[in-house]
Amino acid sequence: MTGFENRLRSMSANIEIRESRPADTAAIERLYPAAFPDEDLLPLLRNLLADRDDVTSRVATAEDTIAGHVVFTACSLGGYPDAFALLGPLAVAPALQKAGIGSALVRNGLDLMAAAGVRGVFVLGDPGYYGRFGFKADARIAPPYPLPGAWRTAWQSIALDRDGDAPAGTLKVPEPWRQPALWGP
């Protein structure tokens, strides 16, 4: 571990979560290739962060260093415009992974979504990771593109509106997410 990584790990107890700012963009763009060296999420990320009012972008900071980032994108289903959200991407600096930063970002975002009246949140991700927040495989609501069979359990949702069930159907996502390559290997 480098000196910088040691310093980051010691700072992980002093994490602040806040809305991302334009000045954070360069640090956020460095974070994703470090966290996911085999994936190019930058085109998606840039589209999501391009001054959109349908995106909630949160960062975790430690002494003004970006330690993690998450995006929640407003989506619609049936006759419910902007009543649902898609979680992703989510990244944490490699030196700080497994320190609870990703979990804090997800929980913070879910709380914001619930406070905003979002009925449910969807994610395409590791069931072992997202299951700890209450996400469950969802067969009633389809992703915008067919998923490979091996990925079916990765399509998950969590209800934030305890008073009603989401209608069955296909999740409608905004333009940055309308790329079939994002939904398959």
Side-chain angles (χ1 to χ4, degrees), residues 16-70:
E16 174 192 346
I17 298 176
R18 62 167 171 77
E19 184 175 345
S20 69
R21 303 173 186 141
D24 299 328
T25 301
I28 292 169
E29 287 186 1
R30 285 189 300 274
L31 180 67
Y32 282 86
F36 300 102
D38 297 331
E39 295 182 53
D40 184 8
L41 295 171
L42 290 181
L44 171 65
L45 187 65
R46 288 176 181 139
N47 280 334
L48 290 172
L49 298 180
D51 195 28
R52 300 182 59 96
D53 60 1
D54 58 354
V55 168
T56 299
S57 172
R58 308 289 288 173
V59 293
T61 62
E63 296 181 18
D64 296 323
T65 299
I66 302 293
H69 178 253
V70 69

mmCIF file of all heavy atoms in Angstrom, residues 16-70:
data_model
loop_
_atom_site.group_PDB
_atom_site.id
_atom_site.type_symbol
_atom_site.label_atom_id
_atom_site.label_comp_id
_atom_site.label_asym_id
_atom_site.label_seq_id
_atom_site.Cartn_x
_atom_site.Cartn_y
_atom_site.Cartn_z
ATOM 1 N N GLU A 16 -17.728 12.135 4.346
ATOM 2 C CA GLU A 16 -18.892 13.012 4.198
ATOM 3 C C GLU A 16 -19.534 12.666 2.864
ATOM 4 O O GLU A 16 -18.834 12.502 1.866
ATOM 5 C CB GLU A 16 -18.464 14.474 4.199
ATOM 6 C CG GLU A 16 -19.606 15.420 3.915
ATOM 7 C CD GLU A 16 -19.143 16.841 3.632
ATOM 8 O OE1 GLU A 16 -17.984 17.174 3.899
ATOM 9 O OE2 GLU A 16 -19.971 17.613 3.118
ATOM 10 N N ILE A 17 -20.852 12.569 2.848
ATOM 11 C CA ILE A 17 -21.564 12.313 1.595
ATOM 12 C C ILE A 17 -22.338 13.570 1.243
ATOM 13 O O ILE A 17 -23.023 14.151 2.084
ATOM 14 C CB ILE A 17 -22.503 11.103 1.726
ATOM 15 C CG1 ILE A 17 -21.670 9.859 2.028
ATOM 16 C CG2 ILE A 17 -23.316 10.916 0.443
ATOM 17 C CD1 ILE A 17 -22.465 8.612 2.278
ATOM 18 N N ARG A 18 -22.173 13.978 -0.017
ATOM 19 C CA ARG A 18 -22.830 15.204 -0.474
ATOM 20 C C ARG A 18 -23.126 15.087 -1.966
ATOM 21 O O ARG A 18 -22.653 14.182 -2.643
ATOM 22 C CB ARG A 18 -21.937 16.416 -0.201
ATOM 23 C CG ARG A 18 -20.601 16.351 -0.942
ATOM 24 C CD ARG A 18 -19.873 17.684 -0.910
ATOM 25 N NE ARG A 18 -18.526 17.610 -1.403
ATOM 26 C CZ ARG A 18 -18.180 17.540 -2.700
ATOM 27 N NH1 ARG A 18 -19.095 17.515 -3.648
ATOM 28 N NH2 ARG A 18 -16.900 17.490 -3.050
ATOM 29 N N GLU A 19 -23.882 16.054 -2.459
ATOM 30 C CA GLU A 19 -24.149 16.135 -3.896
ATOM 31 C C GLU A 19 -22.836 16.444 -4.621
ATOM 32 O O GLU A 19 -22.011 17.221 -4.122
ATOM 33 C CB GLU A 19 -25.158 17.250 -4.159
ATOM 34 C CG GLU A 19 -25.580 17.368 -5.594
ATOM 35 C CD GLU A 19 -26.669 18.412 -5.778
ATOM 36 O OE1 GLU A 19 -27.295 18.837 -4.778
ATOM 37 O OE2 GLU A 19 -26.893 18.807 -6.928
ATOM 38 N N SER A 20 -22.652 15.809 -5.772
ATOM 39 C CA SER A 20 -21.431 16.113 -6.522
ATOM 40 C C SER A 20 -21.536 17.511 -7.116
ATOM 41 O O SER A 20 -22.628 18.044 -7.321
ATOM 42 C CB SER A 20 -21.174 15.078 -7.611
ATOM 43 O OG SER A 20 -22.134 15.167 -8.634
ATOM 44 N N ARG A 21 -20.370 18.096 -7.384
ATOM 45 C CA ARG A 21 -20.279 19.442 -7.950
ATOM 46 C C ARG A 21 -19.486 19.368 -9.252
ATOM 47 O O ARG A 21 -18.676 18.453 -9.432
ATOM 48 C CB ARG A 21 -19.552 20.360 -6.974
ATOM 49 C CG ARG A 21 -20.192 20.415 -5.615
ATOM 50 C CD ARG A 21 -19.328 21.212 -4.638
ATOM 51 N NE ARG A 21 -19.903 21.135 -3.310
ATOM 52 C CZ ARG A 21 -19.212 21.021 -2.204
ATOM 53 N NH1 ARG A 21 -17.890 20.978 -2.230
ATOM 54 N NH2 ARG A 21 -19.810 20.947 -1.038
ATOM 55 N N PRO A 22 -19.647 20.350 -10.130
ATOM 56 C CA PRO A 22 -18.854 20.341 -11.367
ATOM 57 C C PRO A 22 -17.351 20.226 -11.094
ATOM 58 O O PRO A 22 -16.631 19.576 -11.852
ATOM 59 C CB PRO A 22 -19.210 21.669 -12.037
ATOM 60 C CG PRO A 22 -20.617 21.939 -11.574
ATOM 61 C CD PRO A 22 -20.640 21.442 -10.130
ATOM 62 N N ALA A 23 -16.869 20.809 -10.023
ATOM 63 C CA ALA A 23 -15.437 20.738 -9.699
ATOM 64 C C ALA A 23 -14.983 19.319 -9.349
ATOM 65 O O ALA A 23 -13.794 19.032 -9.356
ATOM 66 C CB ALA A 23 -15.116 21.678 -8.536
ATOM 67 N N ASP A 24 -15.932 18.409 -9.082
ATOM 68 C CA ASP A 24 -15.604 17.018 -8.737
ATOM 69 C C ASP A 24 -15.411 16.147 -9.969
ATOM 70 O O ASP A 24 -14.933 15.012 -9.852
ATOM 71 C CB ASP A 24 -16.730 16.386 -7.909
ATOM 72 C CG ASP A 24 -16.971 17.089 -6.596
ATOM 73 O OD1 ASP A 24 -16.014 17.628 -6.014
ATOM 74 O OD2 ASP A 24 -18.141 17.090 -6.143
ATOM 75 N N THR A 25 -15.784 16.627 -11.137
ATOM 76 C CA THR A 25 -15.837 15.787 -12.335
ATOM 77 C C THR A 25 -14.524 15.084 -12.635
ATOM 78 O O THR A 25 -14.503 13.876 -12.893
ATOM 79 C CB THR A 25 -16.304 16.614 -13.556
ATOM 80 O OG1 THR A 25 -17.599 17.158 -13.254
ATOM 81 C CG2 THR A 25 -16.402 15.758 -14.798
ATOM 82 N N ALA A 26 -13.415 15.778 -12.609
ATOM 83 C CA ALA A 26 -12.128 15.150 -12.937
ATOM 84 C C ALA A 26 -11.810 14.019 -11.961
ATOM 85 O O ALA A 26 -11.371 12.935 -12.373
ATOM 86 C CB ALA A 26 -11.008 16.185 -12.948
ATOM 87 N N ALA A 27 -12.042 14.230 -10.687
ATOM 88 C CA ALA A 27 -11.772 13.186 -9.695
ATOM 89 C C ALA A 27 -12.712 11.998 -9.873
ATOM 90 O O ALA A 27 -12.290 10.841 -9.754
ATOM 91 C CB ALA A 27 -11.899 13.755 -8.287
ATOM 92 N N ILE A 28 -13.973 12.276 -10.178
ATOM 93 C CA ILE A 28 -14.931 11.195 -10.426
ATOM 94 C C ILE A 28 -14.496 10.393 -11.654
ATOM 95 O O ILE A 28 -14.541 9.159 -11.649
ATOM 96 C CB ILE A 28 -16.359 11.759 -10.601
ATOM 97 C CG1 ILE A 28 -16.870 12.333 -9.281
ATOM 98 C CG2 ILE A 28 -17.307 10.682 -11.128
ATOM 99 C CD1 ILE A 28 -18.147 13.145 -9.400
ATOM 100 N N GLU A 29 -14.043 11.087 -12.688
ATOM 101 C CA GLU A 29 -13.609 10.399 -13.912
ATOM 102 C C GLU A 29 -12.335 9.579 -13.691
ATOM 103 O O GLU A 29 -12.093 8.620 -14.410
ATOM 104 C CB GLU A 29 -13.429 11.393 -15.051
ATOM 105 C CG GLU A 29 -14.757 11.895 -15.577
ATOM 106 C CD GLU A 29 -14.615 12.778 -16.804
ATOM 107 O OE1 GLU A 29 -13.480 13.005 -17.280
ATOM 108 O OE2 GLU A 29 -15.661 13.236 -17.294
ATOM 109 N N ARG A 30 -11.529 9.911 -12.717
ATOM 110 C CA ARG A 30 -10.357 9.084 -12.380
ATOM 111 C C ARG A 30 -10.770 7.874 -11.542
ATOM 112 O O ARG A 30 -10.138 6.822 -11.592
ATOM 113 C CB ARG A 30 -9.310 9.906 -11.618
ATOM 114 C CG ARG A 30 -8.534 10.875 -12.485
ATOM 115 C CD ARG A 30 -7.362 11.499 -11.743
ATOM 116 N NE ARG A 30 -7.741 12.248 -10.551
ATOM 117 C CZ ARG A 30 -8.117 13.536 -10.543
ATOM 118 N NH1 ARG A 30 -8.132 14.220 -11.682
ATOM 119 N NH2 ARG A 30 -8.435 14.141 -9.413
ATOM 120 N N LEU A 31 -11.812 8.030 -10.769
ATOM 121 C CA LEU A 31 -12.265 6.985 -9.860
ATOM 122 C C LEU A 31 -12.730 5.727 -10.593
ATOM 123 O O LEU A 31 -12.360 4.612 -10.223
ATOM 124 C CB LEU A 31 -13.402 7.545 -8.998
ATOM 125 C CG LEU A 31 -14.030 6.632 -7.969
ATOM 126 C CD1 LEU A 31 -13.021 6.304 -6.882
ATOM 127 C CD2 LEU A 31 -15.249 7.318 -7.364
ATOM 128 N N TYR A 32 -13.520 5.881 -11.651
ATOM 129 C CA TYR A 32 -14.115 4.712 -12.323
ATOM 130 C C TYR A 32 -13.092 3.805 -13.006
ATOM 131 O O TYR A 32 -13.160 2.580 -12.828
ATOM 132 C CB TYR A 32 -15.238 5.146 -13.263
ATOM 133 C CG TYR A 32 -16.493 5.436 -12.483
ATOM 134 C CD1 TYR A 32 -16.722 6.684 -11.927
ATOM 135 C CD2 TYR A 32 -17.422 4.437 -12.241
ATOM 136 C CE1 TYR A 32 -17.842 6.943 -11.173
ATOM 137 C CE2 TYR A 32 -18.557 4.680 -11.483
ATOM 138 C CZ TYR A 32 -18.770 5.927 -10.954
ATOM 139 O OH TYR A 32 -19.881 6.177 -10.186
ATOM 140 N N PRO A 33 -12.128 4.319 -13.759
ATOM 141 C CA PRO A 33 -11.117 3.414 -14.333
ATOM 142 C C PRO A 33 -10.284 2.717 -13.254
ATOM 143 O O PRO A 33 -9.859 1.575 -13.440
ATOM 144 C CB PRO A 33 -10.252 4.327 -15.200
ATOM 145 C CG PRO A 33 -11.111 5.497 -15.501
ATOM 146 C CD PRO A 33 -11.990 5.679 -14.290
ATOM 147 N N ALA A 34 -10.070 3.381 -12.131
ATOM 148 C CA ALA A 34 -9.320 2.745 -11.045
ATOM 149 C C ALA A 34 -10.137 1.616 -10.414
ATOM 150 O O ALA A 34 -9.605 0.546 -10.127
ATOM 151 C CB ALA A 34 -8.938 3.780 -9.988
ATOM 152 N N ALA A 35 -11.428 1.858 -10.218
ATOM 153 C CA ALA A 35 -12.290 0.858 -9.585
ATOM 154 C C ALA A 35 -12.674 -0.267 -10.546
ATOM 155 O O ALA A 35 -12.879 -1.400 -10.131
ATOM 156 C CB ALA A 35 -13.544 1.528 -9.036
ATOM 157 N N PHE A 36 -12.798 0.050 -11.840
ATOM 158 C CA PHE A 36 -13.222 -0.923 -12.849
ATOM 159 C C PHE A 36 -12.272 -0.881 -14.036
ATOM 160 O O PHE A 36 -12.634 -0.387 -15.114
ATOM 161 C CB PHE A 36 -14.653 -0.612 -13.318
ATOM 162 C CG PHE A 36 -15.664 -0.661 -12.214
ATOM 163 C CD1 PHE A 36 -16.144 0.518 -11.647
ATOM 164 C CD2 PHE A 36 -16.122 -1.866 -11.716
ATOM 165 C CE1 PHE A 36 -17.076 0.490 -10.629
ATOM 166 C CE2 PHE A 36 -17.051 -1.905 -10.688
ATOM 167 C CZ PHE A 36 -17.530 -0.723 -10.141
ATOM 168 N N PRO A 37 -11.056 -1.385 -13.880
ATOM 169 C CA PRO A 37 -10.069 -1.271 -14.961
ATOM 170 C C PRO A 37 -10.453 -2.012 -16.242
ATOM 171 O O PRO A 37 -9.960 -1.676 -17.314
ATOM 172 C CB PRO A 37 -8.793 -1.850 -14.348
ATOM 173 C CG PRO A 37 -9.223 -2.641 -13.173
ATOM 174 C CD PRO A 37 -10.512 -2.056 -12.700
ATOM 175 N N ASP A 38 -11.372 -2.980 -16.154
ATOM 176 C CA ASP A 38 -11.768 -3.737 -17.338
ATOM 177 C C ASP A 38 -13.043 -3.223 -17.995
ATOM 178 O O ASP A 38 -13.527 -3.820 -18.958
ATOM 179 C CB ASP A 38 -11.957 -5.220 -16.972
ATOM 180 C CG ASP A 38 -10.663 -5.854 -16.493
ATOM 181 O OD1 ASP A 38 -9.579 -5.396 -16.927
ATOM 182 O OD2 ASP A 38 -10.728 -6.788 -15.677
ATOM 183 N N GLU A 39 -13.606 -2.139 -17.479
ATOM 184 C CA GLU A 39 -14.841 -1.581 -18.035
ATOM 185 C C GLU A 39 -14.632 -0.106 -18.359
ATOM 186 O O GLU A 39 -13.997 0.607 -17.596
ATOM 187 C CB GLU A 39 -15.996 -1.694 -17.034
ATOM 188 C CG GLU A 39 -16.403 -3.113 -16.714
ATOM 189 C CD GLU A 39 -17.586 -3.133 -15.766
ATOM 190 O OE1 GLU A 39 -18.609 -2.480 -16.080
ATOM 191 O OE2 GLU A 39 -17.484 -3.786 -14.724
ATOM 192 N N ASP A 40 -15.220 0.346 -19.459
ATOM 193 C CA ASP A 40 -15.160 1.768 -19.801
ATOM 194 C C ASP A 40 -16.514 2.398 -19.498
ATOM 195 O O ASP A 40 -17.399 2.430 -20.347
ATOM 196 C CB ASP A 40 -14.782 1.969 -21.266
ATOM 197 C CG ASP A 40 -14.611 3.438 -21.609
ATOM 198 O OD1 ASP A 40 -14.629 4.286 -20.682
ATOM 199 O OD2 ASP A 40 -14.476 3.757 -22.806
ATOM 200 N N LEU A 41 -16.668 2.875 -18.282
ATOM 201 C CA LEU A 41 -17.914 3.498 -17.861
ATOM 202 C C LEU A 41 -17.918 5.009 -18.079
ATOM 203 O O LEU A 41 -18.922 5.670 -17.827
ATOM 204 C CB LEU A 41 -18.173 3.187 -16.384
ATOM 205 C CG LEU A 41 -18.422 1.715 -16.071
ATOM 206 C CD1 LEU A 41 -18.440 1.483 -14.563
ATOM 207 C CD2 LEU A 41 -19.722 1.258 -16.695
ATOM 208 N N LEU A 42 -16.806 5.558 -18.561
ATOM 209 C CA LEU A 42 -16.713 7.015 -18.694
ATOM 210 C C LEU A 42 -17.716 7.612 -19.678
ATOM 211 O O LEU A 42 -18.305 8.658 -19.368
ATOM 212 C CB LEU A 42 -15.294 7.440 -19.029
ATOM 213 C CG LEU A 42 -14.286 7.253 -17.890
ATOM 214 C CD1 LEU A 42 -12.897 7.714 -18.305
ATOM 215 C CD2 LEU A 42 -14.729 7.960 -16.624
ATOM 216 N N PRO A 43 -17.971 7.009 -20.844
ATOM 217 C CA PRO A 43 -18.988 7.615 -21.722
ATOM 218 C C PRO A 43 -20.362 7.701 -21.045
ATOM 219 O O PRO A 43 -21.029 8.735 -21.114
ATOM 220 C CB PRO A 43 -19.011 6.692 -22.943
ATOM 221 C CG PRO A 43 -17.648 6.077 -22.972
ATOM 222 C CD PRO A 43 -17.283 5.898 -21.513
ATOM 223 N N LEU A 44 -20.777 6.628 -20.390
ATOM 224 C CA LEU A 44 -22.049 6.646 -19.664
ATOM 225 C C LEU A 44 -22.014 7.697 -18.570
ATOM 226 O O LEU A 44 -22.929 8.510 -18.439
ATOM 227 C CB LEU A 44 -22.342 5.268 -19.071
ATOM 228 C CG LEU A 44 -23.531 5.211 -18.105
ATOM 229 C CD1 LEU A 44 -24.828 5.518 -18.833
ATOM 230 C CD2 LEU A 44 -23.588 3.856 -17.419
ATOM 231 N N LEU A 45 -20.972 7.692 -17.797
ATOM 232 C CA LEU A 45 -20.841 8.630 -16.692
ATOM 233 C C LEU A 45 -20.904 10.078 -17.174
ATOM 234 O O LEU A 45 -21.613 10.901 -16.594
ATOM 235 C CB LEU A 45 -19.521 8.368 -15.963
ATOM 236 C CG LEU A 45 -19.290 9.134 -14.687
ATOM 237 C CD1 LEU A 45 -20.295 8.719 -13.627
ATOM 238 C CD2 LEU A 45 -17.880 8.909 -14.189
ATOM 239 N N ARG A 46 -20.181 10.383 -18.235
ATOM 240 C CA ARG A 46 -20.194 11.762 -18.767
ATOM 241 C C ARG A 46 -21.589 12.165 -19.220
ATOM 242 O O ARG A 46 -22.014 13.302 -18.985
ATOM 243 C CB ARG A 46 -19.192 11.888 -19.907
ATOM 244 C CG ARG A 46 -17.765 11.872 -19.410
ATOM 245 C CD ARG A 46 -16.761 11.895 -20.537
ATOM 246 N NE ARG A 46 -15.409 11.855 -19.994
ATOM 247 C CZ ARG A 46 -14.423 11.142 -20.513
ATOM 248 N NH1 ARG A 46 -14.607 10.420 -21.607
ATOM 249 N NH2 ARG A 46 -13.236 11.165 -19.945
ATOM 250 N N ASN A 47 -22.305 11.251 -19.858
ATOM 251 C CA ASN A 47 -23.684 11.547 -20.278
ATOM 252 C C ASN A 47 -24.584 11.777 -19.065
ATOM 253 O O ASN A 47 -25.436 12.670 -19.079
ATOM 254 C CB ASN A 47 -24.249 10.417 -21.143
ATOM 255 C CG ASN A 47 -23.768 10.491 -22.563
ATOM 256 O OD1 ASN A 47 -23.427 11.553 -23.063
ATOM 257 N ND2 ASN A 47 -23.724 9.350 -23.225
ATOM 258 N N LEU A 48 -24.404 10.973 -18.036
ATOM 259 C CA LEU A 48 -25.243 11.122 -16.843
ATOM 260 C C LEU A 48 -24.951 12.408 -16.086
ATOM 261 O O LEU A 48 -25.854 13.010 -15.494
ATOM 262 C CB LEU A 48 -25.056 9.922 -15.913
ATOM 263 C CG LEU A 48 -25.621 8.600 -16.418
ATOM 264 C CD1 LEU A 48 -25.195 7.458 -15.499
ATOM 265 C CD2 LEU A 48 -27.132 8.653 -16.546
ATOM 266 N N LEU A 49 -23.706 12.848 -16.103
ATOM 267 C CA LEU A 49 -23.325 14.040 -15.344
ATOM 268 C C LEU A 49 -23.436 15.331 -16.145
ATOM 269 O O LEU A 49 -23.113 16.403 -15.631
ATOM 270 C CB LEU A 49 -21.902 13.881 -14.802
ATOM 271 C CG LEU A 49 -21.688 12.734 -13.820
ATOM 272 C CD1 LEU A 49 -20.237 12.689 -13.355
ATOM 273 C CD2 LEU A 49 -22.630 12.825 -12.640
ATOM 274 N N ALA A 50 -23.911 15.249 -17.365
ATOM 275 C CA ALA A 50 -23.981 16.412 -18.260
ATOM 276 C C ALA A 50 -25.197 17.286 -17.941
ATOM 277 O O ALA A 50 -26.132 17.380 -18.721
ATOM 278 C CB ALA A 50 -24.007 15.955 -19.707
ATOM 279 N N ASP A 51 -25.187 17.910 -16.774
ATOM 280 C CA ASP A 51 -26.210 18.881 -16.386
ATOM 281 C C ASP A 51 -27.617 18.362 -16.643
ATOM 282 O O ASP A 51 -28.419 18.988 -17.319
ATOM 283 C CB ASP A 51 -25.981 20.212 -17.120
ATOM 284 C CG ASP A 51 -26.778 21.341 -16.492
ATOM 285 O OD1 ASP A 51 -27.055 21.271 -15.286
ATOM 286 O OD2 ASP A 51 -27.138 22.283 -17.217
ATOM 287 N N ARG A 52 -27.918 17.216 -16.095
ATOM 288 C CA ARG A 52 -29.221 16.585 -16.271
ATOM 289 C C ARG A 52 -30.028 16.762 -14.988
ATOM 290 O O ARG A 52 -29.523 16.557 -13.899
ATOM 291 C CB ARG A 52 -29.051 15.110 -16.587
ATOM 292 C CG ARG A 52 -28.250 14.831 -17.851
ATOM 293 C CD ARG A 52 -28.191 13.359 -18.102
ATOM 294 N NE ARG A 52 -29.508 12.798 -18.252
ATOM 295 C CZ ARG A 52 -30.091 12.593 -19.434
ATOM 296 N NH1 ARG A 52 -29.473 12.874 -20.537
ATOM 297 N NH2 ARG A 52 -31.301 12.073 -19.494
ATOM 298 N N ASP A 53 -31.311 17.063 -15.150
ATOM 299 C CA ASP A 53 -32.150 17.196 -13.958
ATOM 300 C C ASP A 53 -32.802 15.875 -13.555
ATOM 301 O O ASP A 53 -33.495 15.812 -12.551
ATOM 302 C CB ASP A 53 -33.199 18.291 -14.144
ATOM 303 C CG ASP A 53 -34.130 18.035 -15.312
ATOM 304 O OD1 ASP A 53 -34.010 17.005 -15.992
ATOM 305 O OD2 ASP A 53 -35.000 18.892 -15.546
ATOM 306 N N ASP A 54 -32.552 14.802 -14.319
ATOM 307 C CA ASP A 54 -33.110 13.491 -13.970
ATOM 308 C C ASP A 54 -32.077 12.594 -13.293
ATOM 309 O O ASP A 54 -32.287 11.396 -13.142
ATOM 310 C CB ASP A 54 -33.690 12.796 -15.198
ATOM 311 C CG ASP A 54 -32.687 12.587 -16.325
ATOM 312 O OD1 ASP A 54 -31.545 13.076 -16.227
ATOM 313 O OD2 ASP A 54 -33.054 11.943 -17.321
ATOM 314 N N VAL A 55 -30.958 13.186 -12.854
ATOM 315 C CA VAL A 55 -29.867 12.424 -12.243
ATOM 316 C C VAL A 55 -29.545 12.991 -10.865
ATOM 317 O O VAL A 55 -29.451 14.207 -10.686
ATOM 318 C CB VAL A 55 -28.607 12.462 -13.147
ATOM 319 C CG1 VAL A 55 -27.388 11.932 -12.422
ATOM 320 C CG2 VAL A 55 -28.846 11.689 -14.428
ATOM 321 N N THR A 56 -29.384 12.089 -9.905
ATOM 322 C CA THR A 56 -28.883 12.446 -8.584
ATOM 323 C C THR A 56 -27.483 11.853 -8.478
ATOM 324 O O THR A 56 -27.311 10.640 -8.601
ATOM 325 C CB THR A 56 -29.788 11.875 -7.474
ATOM 326 O OG1 THR A 56 -31.094 12.442 -7.627
ATOM 327 C CG2 THR A 56 -29.237 12.192 -6.101
ATOM 328 N N SER A 57 -26.496 12.698 -8.304
ATOM 329 C CA SER A 57 -25.097 12.289 -8.260
ATOM 330 C C SER A 57 -24.535 12.636 -6.893
ATOM 331 O O SER A 57 -24.541 13.796 -6.487
ATOM 332 C CB SER A 57 -24.312 13.013 -9.363
ATOM 333 O OG SER A 57 -22.934 12.795 -9.248
ATOM 334 N N ARG A 58 -24.040 11.612 -6.172
ATOM 335 C CA ARG A 58 -23.539 11.794 -4.814
ATOM 336 C C ARG A 58 -22.083 11.344 -4.734
ATOM 337 O O ARG A 58 -21.703 10.362 -5.368
ATOM 338 C CB ARG A 58 -24.357 10.971 -3.818
ATOM 339 C CG ARG A 58 -25.859 11.187 -3.898
ATOM 340 C CD ARG A 58 -26.296 12.519 -3.406
ATOM 341 N NE ARG A 58 -26.189 12.596 -1.955
ATOM 342 C CZ ARG A 58 -26.380 13.698 -1.257
ATOM 343 N NH1 ARG A 58 -26.672 14.818 -1.857
ATOM 344 N NH2 ARG A 58 -26.266 13.693 0.056
ATOM 345 N N VAL A 59 -21.296 12.053 -3.960
ATOM 346 C CA VAL A 59 -19.910 11.661 -3.727
ATOM 347 C C VAL A 59 -19.689 11.457 -2.234
ATOM 348 O O VAL A 59 -20.345 12.082 -1.401
ATOM 349 C CB VAL A 59 -18.885 12.694 -4.260
ATOM 350 C CG1 VAL A 59 -18.910 12.766 -5.774
ATOM 351 C CG2 VAL A 59 -19.094 14.058 -3.632
ATOM 352 N N ALA A 60 -18.755 10.573 -1.939
ATOM 353 C CA ALA A 60 -18.251 10.411 -0.585
ATOM 354 C C ALA A 60 -16.872 11.044 -0.592
ATOM 355 O O ALA A 60 -16.033 10.722 -1.433
ATOM 356 C CB ALA A 60 -18.168 8.934 -0.213
ATOM 357 N N THR A 61 -16.634 11.956 0.333
ATOM 358 C CA THR A 61 -15.344 12.634 0.390
ATOM 359 C C THR A 61 -14.684 12.372 1.736
ATOM 360 O O THR A 61 -15.352 12.190 2.753
ATOM 361 C CB THR A 61 -15.480 14.157 0.194
ATOM 362 O OG1 THR A 61 -16.267 14.695 1.251
ATOM 363 C CG2 THR A 61 -16.114 14.484 -1.146
ATOM 364 N N ALA A 62 -13.382 12.360 1.688
ATOM 365 C CA ALA A 62 -12.557 12.259 2.897
ATOM 366 C C ALA A 62 -11.499 13.343 2.762
ATOM 367 O O ALA A 62 -10.652 13.276 1.884
ATOM 368 C CB ALA A 62 -11.915 10.877 2.993
ATOM 369 N N GLU A 63 -11.596 14.362 3.606
ATOM 370 C CA GLU A 63 -10.662 15.495 3.547
ATOM 371 C C GLU A 63 -10.528 16.036 2.130
ATOM 372 O O GLU A 63 -9.433 16.197 1.600
ATOM 373 C CB GLU A 63 -9.300 15.082 4.115
ATOM 374 C CG GLU A 63 -9.342 14.733 5.575
ATOM 375 C CD GLU A 63 -7.977 14.357 6.116
ATOM 376 O OE1 GLU A 63 -6.951 14.683 5.477
ATOM 377 O OE2 GLU A 63 -7.938 13.739 7.185
ATOM 378 N N ASP A 64 -11.655 16.304 1.507
ATOM 379 C CA ASP A 64 -11.744 16.872 0.154
ATOM 380 C C ASP A 64 -11.226 15.946 -0.945
ATOM 381 O O ASP A 64 -11.014 16.381 -2.065
ATOM 382 C CB ASP A 64 -11.036 18.230 0.078
ATOM 383 C CG ASP A 64 -11.701 19.264 0.963
ATOM 384 O OD1 ASP A 64 -12.949 19.236 1.048
ATOM 385 O OD2 ASP A 64 -10.990 20.079 1.563
ATOM 386 N N THR A 65 -11.013 14.676 -0.638
ATOM 387 C CA THR A 65 -10.641 13.688 -1.647
ATOM 388 C C THR A 65 -11.863 12.851 -1.964
ATOM 389 O O THR A 65 -12.542 12.373 -1.051
ATOM 390 C CB THR A 65 -9.516 12.768 -1.112
ATOM 391 O OG1 THR A 65 -8.377 13.567 -0.811
ATOM 392 C CG2 THR A 65 -9.134 11.714 -2.132
ATOM 393 N N ILE A 66 -12.180 12.691 -3.254
ATOM 394 C CA ILE A 66 -13.324 11.878 -3.658
ATOM 395 C C ILE A 66 -12.973 10.411 -3.410
ATOM 396 O O ILE A 66 -12.052 9.865 -4.000
ATOM 397 C CB ILE A 66 -13.681 12.088 -5.144
ATOM 398 C CG1 ILE A 66 -13.981 13.567 -5.443
ATOM 399 C CG2 ILE A 66 -14.839 11.182 -5.562
ATOM 400 C CD1 ILE A 66 -15.206 14.118 -4.795
ATOM 401 N N ALA A 67 -13.711 9.782 -2.500
ATOM 402 C CA ALA A 67 -13.480 8.386 -2.135
ATOM 403 C C ALA A 67 -14.464 7.447 -2.810
ATOM 404 O O ALA A 67 -14.197 6.257 -2.958
ATOM 405 C CB ALA A 67 -13.577 8.227 -0.625
ATOM 406 N N GLY A 68 -15.625 7.963 -3.218
ATOM 407 C CA GLY A 68 -16.648 7.139 -3.852
ATOM 408 C C GLY A 68 -17.673 8.007 -4.549
ATOM 409 O O GLY A 68 -17.750 9.216 -4.316
ATOM 410 N N HIS A 69 -18.460 7.365 -5.413
ATOM 411 C CA HIS A 69 -19.453 8.081 -6.204
ATOM 412 C C HIS A 69 -20.586 7.135 -6.564
ATOM 413 O O HIS A 69 -20.363 5.943 -6.784
ATOM 414 C CB HIS A 69 -18.811 8.622 -7.487
ATOM 415 C CG HIS A 69 -19.777 9.319 -8.382
ATOM 416 N ND1 HIS A 69 -20.215 8.771 -9.560
ATOM 417 C CD2 HIS A 69 -20.386 10.523 -8.267
ATOM 418 C CE1 HIS A 69 -21.055 9.618 -10.142
ATOM 419 N NE2 HIS A 69 -21.181 10.686 -9.374
ATOM 420 N N VAL A 70 -21.798 7.665 -6.632
ATOM 421 C CA VAL A 70 -22.964 6.892 -7.071
ATOM 422 C C VAL A 70 -23.914 7.807 -7.831
ATOM 423 O O VAL A 70 -23.952 9.021 -7.589
ATOM 424 C CB VAL A 70 -23.693 6.232 -5.876
ATOM 425 C CG1 VAL A 70 -24.384 7.254 -4.990
ATOM 426 C CG2 VAL A 70 -24.678 5.173 -6.351
#
